[in-house]
């Protein structure tokens, strides 16, 4: 099973991908995560990507498609994949077709998480994670039970993504509307697109997605 999770930044793609990993033993391939690791490690890709990511713009199609190709090569042929944050442009969608076909894989579902833009800005600008275990928190919706201490691992340091500020988020939304949403019709023609209300609570969305996958 290979699926694409589509939706603007903050729609909950990362959270739902994590659920799918836990519930369906699938593997999450997030180009955003791969690029953030490359930036952290200071690799040539990371050095190129950093300023682009900080501005909320899109990294080149060649770079992200190469990352996905390499990641697919490291997987067993029968491991299910969740594409999270990829493809984001028409050329990336075309590359994904080739990457999948050459590995005898095909796409089963494209799930789009629909969300309200104002709510998204609040969701994104409030989110932060534990620097120790990566547990997600939010200024409004989910503060640690004991102030400044991670509920899960007890760590006392937290971090925020540098691109989770209102200005960059607006730019990322614009990129989604202008370049990513237009790839949906390709998949709609094949009848593999399902839209899910991403404003519902995360467990409801999780159940909806499980239904789509037939489990
Ligand atoms: P994300 O974690 O998916 O929100 O991605 C964070 C940032 O990484 C984006 O705003 C882009 O700058 C970059 N990025 C992630 N995935 C892609 C992609 N498929 N194509 C181009 N840029 C990407």
């Amino acid at each position: 099973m290979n699926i694409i999770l589509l939706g603007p930044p903050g729609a909950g793609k990362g959270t739902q991908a994590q659920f799918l990993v836990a519930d369906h033993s699938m593997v999450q391939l997030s180009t955003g995560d791969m690029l953030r690791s490359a930036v952290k490690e200071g690799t040539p890709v990371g050095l190129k990507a950093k300023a682009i990511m900080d501005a909320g713009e899109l990294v080149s199609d060649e770079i992200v498609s190469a990352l996905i190709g390499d990641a697919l090569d490291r997987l067993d042929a029968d491991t299910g994949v969740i594409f999270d944050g990829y493809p984001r442009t028409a050329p990336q969608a075309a590359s994904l077709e080739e990457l999948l076909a050459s590995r005898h894989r095909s796409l089963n579902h494209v799930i789009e998480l629909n969300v309200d833009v104002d709510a998204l800005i609040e969701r994104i600008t409030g989110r932060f994670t534990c620097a120790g275990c990566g547990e997600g928190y939010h200024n409004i919706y989910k503060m640690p039970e004991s102030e400044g201490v991670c509920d899960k691992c007890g760590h006392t340091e937290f971090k925020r993504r540098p691109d989770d500020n209102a200005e960059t988020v607006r730019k990322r939304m614009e990129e989604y509307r202008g370049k990513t949403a237009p790839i949906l019709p390709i998949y709609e023609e094949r009848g593999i697109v399902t839209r899910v209300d991403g404003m519902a609570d995360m467990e409801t969305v999780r159940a909806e997605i499980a239904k789509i996958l037939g489990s």
Side-chain angles (χ1 to χ4, degrees), residues 79-96:
T79 303
V81 176
I82 309 144
F83 295 98
D84 163 9
Y86 178 92
R88 258 176 158 99
T89 63
Q92 289 179 28
S95 295
L96 180 60

Side-chain angles (χ1 to χ4, degrees), residues 128 143-151 154-158:
F128 61 99
M143 285 295 280
E145 277 173 25
S146 162
E147 200 185 324
V149 182
C150 175
D151 299 343
H155 208 85
T156 52
E157 273 171 64
F158 295 86

Side-chain angles (χ1 to χ4, degrees), residues 31-32 35-36 52-53 56-59 64 85-86 88 92 161 163 172:
T31 40
L35 290 166
R36 277 185 287 281
I52 300 171
M53 293 171 77
E57 289 166 8
L58 292 182
V59 173
V64 290
Y86 178 92
R88 258 176 158 99
Q92 289 179 28
R161 280 174 47 172
D163 58 350
R172 286 158 65 201

